[in-house]
Amino acid sequence: MAKITKNEYTYAEFIKEYPNDDVCLEKIFQMTYGQMECCPKCKSTLGYVRVKGRKCYQCRRCYNQLYPCMGTVFERTKIPLSMWFYGIFIFTVSKNGVSAHELSRAIGVSPKTGLRILKQIRKFICNDESPLNGEVEIDETFVGGKNKNRHWDKKAEKSQGRAYVDKVPVLGMIERGTGRVIAHVIPNVSKATLQPIILSHVEHGSHLLSDEYNGYNGLEVYYEREICNHSKKQYTNGKASTNTVENFWSCLKRTIGGSYIKVSKRYLPLYVKEIVFRYNYRTSPSMFHDLLNCLAF
């Protein structure tokens, strides 16, 4: 696995780099149109200049206007861009996520607005889902409250193990060496659901490491598969183990249980997307800029 390094981008650097809305808009313009060598309308190479009082730029020759916020998380927002950028900064420096109330207090907006900002950020996150290869661990987990903690009239019957009547299953695949993870909320853990996802996200011929669950049976045709039998208290078997993907599950459940407390089934895929992003960019020296690049495209 890649060496873990801390996020080195500090608050002092952020304030120095993005002091006001104009600088933030210029950053969005550079990310969106920075590689454009000429005006797409008149082919002029004179460049674009900011239109005073508006979030747009226009060609120096033909006055063709471009709106860098269009199609991004910042489109049609009434919140100052400097607040958006600060909210994104808080989002990335929080180890286990940031709640809507915490964000609203930090940037001075209502909790409802803070919730919308977080929702928009999660929607625009782009995770690398190119096929995994080499040694790949696969496992599934179930997200939901513990039955023993529920009131007597809210307990779910027969909810143990993979009987997920009161929980939502999530499939995770992680590539050893790089530590890159792909995770998806799934409707069930049947073979018909699990195997097409695995086949589309793991290169054929890879070394597949899993537990003894029979939903993975048959993948030996496409992969070199090794198994550790959890039912027999076997957690390593040669190279076979799911300890790395279990580490990701601990991050996912710590974030949901610690910061968000309760997540609905409807929005769980967005939260999983967020936690995958945090996990995959945990070694980045500036997760803020990595997320900004996602949101501006």
Side-chain angles (χ1 to χ4, degrees), residues 57 61-62 84 114 128 134 152 154 199 208 211 216 246 258 290:
Y57 290 75
R61 182 178 178 183
C62 70
W84 267 101
D128 180 8
W152 67 269
K154 295 181 180 179
L199 290 169
L208 209 61
D211 57 21
Y216 303 129
E246 292 286 356
D290 295 323

Side-chain angles (χ1 to χ4, degrees), residues 29 36-51 56-67:
F29 179 76
M36 185 173 60
E37 297 179 354
C38 62
C39 173
K41 186 175 181 180
C42 70
K43 308 303 179 184
S44 170
T45 58
L46 296 176
Y48 278 73
V49 64
R50 170 77 185 279
V51 177
C56 75
Y57 290 75
Q58 69 180 16
C59 175
R60 293 177 185 271
R61 182 178 178 183
C62 70
Y63 307 114
N64 177 50
Q65 294 186 344
L66 299 176
Y67 291 80

Side-chain angles (χ1 to χ4, degrees), residues 67-211:
Y67 291 80
C69 293
M70 186 176 294
T72 71
V73 68
F74 312 106
E75 185 177 359
R76 295 183 179 180
T77 182
K78 295 180 180 179
I79 302 170
L81 292 177
S82 55
M83 280 192 181
W84 267 101
F85 274 50
Y86 183 47
I88 294 168
F89 174 77
I90 294 173
F91 185 89
T92 55
V93 297
S94 303
K95 182 178 180 181
N96 293 321
V98 56
S99 69
H101 282 270
E102 186 178 353
L103 181 64
S104 69
R105 291 192 296 268
I107 65 176
V109 297
S110 68
K112 186 175 181 180
T113 300
L115 183 63
R116 181 184 177 277
I117 289 174
L118 291 173
K119 179 183 176 182
Q120 290 297 101
I121 290 173
R122 294 184 187 108
K123 283 174 62 178
F124 278 78
I125 285 177
C126 297
N127 289 314
D128 180 8
E129 294 204 349
S130 57
L132 306 171
N133 58 59
E135 295 180 352
V136 180
E137 295 183 17
I138 58 173
D139 193 26
E140 74 285 346
T141 193
F142 303 90
V143 178
K146 293 182 178 179
N147 206 36
K148 66 179 182 180
N149 294 335
R150 296 189 175 101
H151 194 267
W152 67 269
D153 62 344
K154 295 181 180 179
K155 291 184 183 293
E157 295 183 1
K158 300 179 180 179
S159 63
Q160 294 79 16
R162 287 184 168 88
Y164 46 91
V165 293
D166 58 335
K167 294 179 174 62
V168 181
V170 182
L171 173 66
M173 299 157 280
I174 190 165
E175 184 179 80
R176 285 185 182 176
T178 64
R180 181 165 64 92
V181 66
I182 297 175
H184 289 285
V185 174
I186 52 179
N188 55 65
V189 291
S190 67
K191 181 184 293 188
T193 298
L194 292 173
Q195 296 202 5
I197 298 174
I198 295 169
L199 290 169
S200 64
H201 288 294
V202 182
E203 286 187 5
H204 291 189
S206 298
H207 197 164
L208 209 61
L209 310 169
S210 71
D211 57 21

Side-chain angles (χ1 to χ4, degrees), residues 8-51:
E8 298 172 354
Y9 190 68
T10 65
Y11 174 72
E13 291 174 312
F14 167 78
I15 290 297
K16 183 178 180 180
E17 191 172 0
Y18 303 104
N20 53 54
D21 285 10
D22 292 336
V23 176
C24 295
L25 184 64
E26 178 65 25
K27 176 65 175 179
I28 298 170
F29 179 76
Q30 292 299 325
M31 288 191 296
T32 310
Y33 298 106
Q35 303 300 319
M36 185 173 60
E37 297 179 354
C38 62
C39 173
K41 186 175 181 180
C42 70
K43 308 303 179 184
S44 170
T45 58
L46 296 176
Y48 278 73
V49 64
R50 170 77 185 279
V51 177

